[in-house]
Amino acid sequence: MLRIFKPEVFQGSLNRKAYFEGWYFKHVSKDLKQVYAFIPGISINGKDKHAFIQIINGITGKTNYISYPIDSFKWTKDKFSVQIGQSSFSEYGIDLNIDDPAISIQGKLSYSGNIPYPQKMLAPGIMGWYSFVPFMECYHGVVSVDHAIQGILSIDGQSINFSDGNGYIEKDWGRSFPECWVWLQTNSFSDQRSSVFVSVAKIPWLGRFFIGFIAFLYVNDRFYTFSTYNSSKLEVLKRDGNQIEIQLTGPQGTLKVLTIISNAGDLVAPVMGNMNRMIKESIDSKVTYELIDKNNKGIAKGKSDRAGLEVIEKIFEYF
């Protein structure tokens, strides 16, 4: 199996010297009142080697980082299935059994109707042909842009019903997160099955750097891709108070996104495999988008109140 064409499976090795890999599972209840993300992963560096599960309560902004021995991390080679401690994760659901002094979580959630990001021979994932470049600082994969959830979790004794809600899965692996970036994602729309993802980052490249971006809109059973590798252009990237405006133009039209920043919690990010960089992430920011064609005719638009958002401010200095 060529793992590059299966970005969802474990890409790494426990023998690397500076390496991280993590999967991001986002869950939004049907009534939008509960939002949780779980991030299982591994951290390998000279000083420490461990597995972890990060937890984000998207409504309160509270986060937890639970560390596990590295040998508690198990994976399946030919399909996406990982286990950390007594908890397991796959594209079909999660089974959580977390008993930590800071938080207790038990329960199973199952997924159905998963929509994978489309693949092509020269674009095995969202990164396009950059997926084949061997020296990238960080690689990104989108596992499911949208799926239905069934099940209940018990979190600190509170029963939370996610049945008929929706979820999203993506992942990252490599040495480090970029120096600075903007990332946003949402697939919680009350009037349509839609998913929006935008990531703009400072990318090291042969001793220099460039500002790269990957983005897509899934709506009306169709993908619209806007990325550095398909000749799209980032025309607007600016912040005004708690608002961020992004505009991308590509072969399929123009995507305009306006984000209003909401509650954010502390999240741990990797630097040379070491999970010691503190950043902020929100899962209840507000996003509106509009997609227009080359004749300025509207194709689709939407609004979501449960968007994931990370902002490292320095990115705005390069635009």
Side-chain angles (χ1 to χ4, degrees), residues 204-223:
W205 188 262
L206 300 175
R208 299 185 178 183
F209 71 89
F210 67 94
I211 302 303
F213 60 93
I214 48 178
F216 71 80
L217 167 66
Y218 174 81
V219 66
N220 298 328
D221 300 319
R222 182 178 177 183
F223 280 91

Side-chain angles (χ1 to χ4, degrees), residues 265-280:
D266 293 325
L267 196 67
V268 186
V271 178
M272 294 303 294
N274 191 13
M275 299 294 289
N276 63 359
R277 179 183 180 185
M278 299 303 299
I279 64 173
K280 293 285 188 180

Side-chain angles (χ1 to χ4, degrees), residues 25 27 38 86-90 92-98 104-112 147-155 158-165:
F25 292 76
H27 307 81
F38 303 98
Q86 299 301 310
S87 300
S88 59
F89 305 82
S90 79
Y92 303 110
I94 60 175
D95 186 350
L96 301 182
N97 189 355
I98 300 171
S104 175
I105 306 177
Q106 289 80 34
K108 297 181 181 181
L109 301 178
S110 61
Y111 310 147
S112 62
H147 51 260
I149 305 172
Q150 294 294 322
I152 297 173
L153 294 180
S154 174
I155 301 180
Q158 179 186 4
S159 182
I160 300 178
N161 191 347
F162 284 98
S163 293
D164 300 319

Side-chain angles (χ1 to χ4, degrees), residues 121-138:
M121 182 59 67
L122 298 180
I126 185 65
M127 291 184 65
W129 62 263
Y130 285 101
S131 301
F132 298 98
V133 178
F135 52 81
M136 300 295 289
E137 178 182 49
C138 180

